[in-house]
Amino acid sequence: MSDIDVTDQSAIADLEQDLASAILGAPDEAGLEEVRIAALGKKGSVSELLKSLGAMSPDERKVMGPAINGLRDRVAGLITHRRSALKTRALEARLATETVDVTLPVREAAAETGRVHPIAQVMEELTAIFADMGFSVAEGPDIEDDFHNFTALNFPPGHPAREMHDTFFLPPGADGQRKVLRTHTSPVQVRTMQTKTPPIRVICPGRTYRCDSDQTHTPMFHQVEGLVIDKGAHLGHLKWILEEFCKSFFEVEGVKMRFRPSFFPFTEPSMEVDIQCDRSRPGEIRFGEGTDWLEILGCGMVHPNVLRNCGLDPDEYQGFAWGMGIDRIAMLKYGMSDLRAFFEADVRWLSHYGFRPLDFPTLAGGLSA
């Protein structure tokens, strides 16, 4: 400030010109702030001029006061204008580097990217259908003992299902007995009959294990079995339940079913069940129409020996049971050709065949809607 004659208005004009050049030349807001402090800060050039007014005579103050105050106001106005211009330029530069390609597909929300596996979906569908008929869901352990998996179900010693080539046995325990990965969910029926008092109406969905691996078999697969125990249960009840299930599950108005004699150690009489379908279109099966037949499940009246093994009197109670592969009926309903794809964890496959997480199956709203 010692170089500026506070009474020389031309010197003040030169200072204003220098400050205007510095303000307009500031490259960014940080540089502009440095200029503002140098001019209008406590020790800035314009602030020092304002301080000098106190030492002037009244006549000088009348002339220089308006000049110095005008300088301050003009410099402050230039700074404000320049700051606004710098903000606009910074925003334009940011927008230029953060452009959005409006031709890209809209990103799905996080809640929409996940998918429910078809097996889980079909289990929900089964539960909805049978719950409407008054059934509850029963569960049991995947690792079973010989009694619950074989003996209680009337499998005689030496039956092929007890052999290593059909079954996954675990090493013998301290008691010398070998546990087994359950080959069906029938042990859940046994445990239910041992712990519940009839009438019993349950379905038993879950994982099962067998030594199979090809296009329609996997070492681990899913099965659902149903059990009804009562004093007056008979095959007419079983036929109605299976017909209602097939109509609801395949979402058709009606189906024809064919019951063929068969053999299972745990039921007597035993039957295989075929369902009406149309296979005239390559790679497509339609249910409830056509003249073809497709085996879909096995069933029968619970064998008296099974009732006795579970502590029930076959002279007082009787019942029926059925079982089917969940993976198989999922393949039939949703047009999947290879069972192994269910367990390959391919997100592309799951994205195609999976279900949205909030689409719960209901009989009123539609099972697969």
Side-chain angles (χ1 to χ4, degrees):
M1 286 299 301
S2 59
D3 295 336
I4 299 177
D5 184 354
V6 295
T7 62
D8 185 354
Q9 293 199 28
S10 63
I12 293 176
D14 292 340
L15 175 61
E16 181 177 355
Q17 184 176 358
D18 293 341
L19 290 174
S21 298
I23 292 170
L24 295 175
D28 50 37
E29 290 190 68
L32 181 63
E33 180 63 12
E34 292 179 1
V35 176
R36 187 195 68 79
I37 294 174
L40 303 178
K42 289 183 178 182
K43 297 182 179 180
S45 56
V46 176
S47 299
E48 292 294 333
L49 288 176
L50 290 170
K51 291 176 184 179
S52 68
L53 290 174
M56 294 180 185
S57 65
D59 292 337
E60 290 177 331
R61 194 179 299 120
K62 287 181 182 180
V63 175
M64 299 308 298
I68 295 174
N69 282 304
L71 171 64
R72 180 196 60 192
D73 294 341
R74 290 190 295 275
V75 169
L78 282 173
I79 290 174
T80 301
H81 184 270
R82 181 60 176 167
R83 181 177 287 113
S84 176
L86 288 173
K87 286 183 177 180
T88 300
R89 189 172 71 179
L91 178 60
E92 291 174 350
R94 181 181 175 185
L95 292 175
T97 58
E98 297 181 2
T99 55
V100 177
D101 187 350
V102 296
T103 64
L104 291 175
V106 177
R107 293 181 180 178
E108 287 187 301
E112 296 295 327
T113 56
R115 291 292 183 270
V116 175
H117 196 282
I119 294 299
Q121 170 74 13
V122 170
M123 282 190 176
E124 291 291 339
E125 295 179 11
L126 293 169
T127 301
I129 295 170
F130 286 112
D132 191 60
M133 299 184 197
F135 286 78
S136 59
V137 176
E139 297 179 328
D142 287 17
I143 299 176
E144 276 291 1
D145 54 43
D146 181 89
F147 175 79
H148 288 92
N149 198 81
F150 296 119
T151 303
L153 293 164
N154 205 37
F155 283 89
H159 191 281
R162 295 175 180 262
E163 300 299 326
M164 290 292 294
H165 61 77
D166 280 341
T167 307
F168 293 105
F169 282 99
L170 279 66
D175 58 358
Q177 300 296 318
R178 293 186 303 173
K179 294 287 184 75
V180 61
L181 293 179
R182 65 183 184 187
T183 57
H184 42 195
T185 56
S186 300
V188 182
Q189 297 186 35
V190 174
R191 294 179 180 275
T192 301
M193 286 186 281
Q194 288 178 321
T195 57
K196 302 292 184 182
T197 301
I200 297 172
R201 294 176 181 85
V202 296
I203 59 169
C204 313
R207 294 179 296 268
T208 53
Y209 309 84
R210 298 179 190 174
C211 292
D212 286 325
S213 183
D214 56 40
Q215 188 173 357
T216 56
H217 297 83
T218 53
M220 187 278 291
F221 58 100
H222 299 81
Q223 192 177 63
V224 61
E225 297 184 10
L227 173 70
V228 172
I229 300 294
D230 207 340
K231 293 183 177 180
H234 55 74
L235 288 177
H237 298 145
L238 171 63
K239 182 175 183 292
W240 179 85
I241 289 173
L242 295 180
E243 285 183 348
E244 290 301 308
F245 164 75
C246 289
K247 287 193 298 183
S248 297
F249 181 75
F250 293 111
E251 301 179 66
V252 295
E253 294 184 359
V255 293
K256 293 180 180 179
M257 306 185 75
R258 184 171 66 183
F259 292 76
R260 293 180 289 105
S262 185
F263 170 78
F264 304 112
F266 33 80
T267 53
E268 181 60 38
S270 303
M271 294 165 289
E272 300 282 1
V273 180
D274 303 331
I275 185 173
Q276 173 197 17
C277 65
D278 180 5
R279 290 188 281 189
S280 60
R281 301 173 179 86
E284 182 181 359
I285 300 178
R286 291 176 176 267
F287 294 98
E289 59 183 85
T291 57
D292 296 321
W293 297 95
L294 180 68
E295 180 185 324
I296 193 173
L297 59 91
C299 63
M301 298 298 292
V302 178
H303 198 290
N305 289 344
V306 175
L307 294 174
R308 293 189 187 94
N309 292 334
C310 296
L312 298 176
D313 183 358
D315 293 329
E316 182 178 4
Y317 294 107
Q318 61 187 30
F320 51 82
W322 69 91
M324 68 190 84
I326 296 178
D327 318 75
R328 296 271 184 87
I329 62 174
M331 292 174 68
L332 293 174
K333 181 173 182 178
Y334 295 112
M336 306 166 191
S337 60
D338 195 324
L339 186 64
R340 293 167 293 189
F342 280 72
F343 311 104
E344 290 177 349
D346 189 330
V347 294
R348 298 167 300 177
W349 182 90
L350 185 58
S351 177
H352 179 75
Y353 286 110
F355 295 81
R356 296 185 180 276
L358 298 181
D359 291 342
F360 296 105
T362 64
L363 294 181
L367 292 174
S368 57

